[in-house]
Amino acid sequence: MNDCIFCKIVRGDIPCHKVYEDDDVLAFLDISQTTKGHTLVISKEHFRNLLYVPKDILAKVMGAAQKIAQAQVASLGAKGVNIINNTNEVAGQTVMHFHVHVIPRYSNEDALRLEFNSNKIEKLSLPAIAEEISKEM
Ligand code: AMP
Ligand code: ZN
């Protein structure tokens, strides 16, 4: 894609701080560095997001994400890691080229805030929801 910023990074038209590369996958430091070592793992081929990535490429991206997480723990002294994918604008996706964030965690007080609120769960029918999802698979 000509105007995609991550495709430009894959082509070398825009510089990046590369962490890992193979035939299908590229990983580089996120420019925002939410925490020290915050890395993006992307497919080299352009897919809009997780919903469109072929399974074999997804497996390669996640395999690289695991390696990077292990390296962040071993080299940077991270005590944990969040692996995050944002799919579509409603979920916070701003760059429309599939990528996974690998964010090392050093403390609960660092710059990443993740909150899973369950305050409305009692109004939902869990058996019905599970059935809705599973029948599409
Ligand atoms: P998302 O919100 O999940 O789409 O994440 C996109 C991420 O790409 C953001 O965290 C940005 O900081 C990061 N980003 C955008 N442009 C660049 C760039 N040129 N180099 C590295 N990271 C970038
Ligand atoms: Zn792209």
Side-chain angles (χ1 to χ4, degrees):
M1 294 265 291
N2 278 345
D3 55 352
C4 169
I5 191 160
F6 286 178
C7 283
K8 286 180 183 170
I9 288 175
V10 170
R11 289 197 298 269
D13 296 345
I14 291 181
C16 73
H17 297 282
K18 186 163 66 180
V19 170
Y20 174 80
E21 181 174 19
D22 63 31
D23 287 347
D24 301 298
V25 174
L26 177 67
F28 53 91
L29 293 183
D30 190 303
I31 206 153
S32 71
Q33 289 296 284
T34 298
T35 65
K36 179 182 161 188
H38 179 178
T39 299
L40 298 175
V41 190
I42 74 172
S43 55
K44 283 189 172 174
E45 193 174 340
H46 182 93
F47 302 102
R48 181 177 173 80
N49 60 40
L50 178 112
L51 301 177
Y52 299 94
V53 186
K55 253 195 292 190
D56 58 330
I57 302 293
L58 180 61
K60 286 177 180 173
V61 168
M62 291 310 294
Q66 183 196 36
K67 274 192 195 169
I68 290 159
Q70 290 166 338
Q72 289 170 340
V73 169
S75 66
L76 299 178
K79 296 186 170 60
V81 180
N82 286 105
I83 295 187
I84 298 174
N85 166 258
N86 300 324
T87 297
N88 281 337
E89 290 90 339
V90 70
Q93 186 178 7
T94 59
V95 177
M96 294 298 153
H97 177 131
F98 171 61
H99 59 278
V100 170
H101 297 255
V102 186
I103 306 175
R105 300 302 302 270
Y106 304 93
S107 129
N108 291 331
E109 307 302 315
D110 60 26
L112 184 63
R113 290 283 168 275
L114 282 178
E115 211 176 335
F116 292 90
N117 294 315
S118 59
N119 51 338
K120 292 184 181 146
I121 200 80
E122 63 277 5
K123 293 178 188 153
L124 301 174
S125 165
L126 299 192
I129 296 165
E131 171 66 15
E132 286 291 305
I133 297 170
S134 62
K135 76 184 181 194
E136 288 296 328
M137 298 180 67

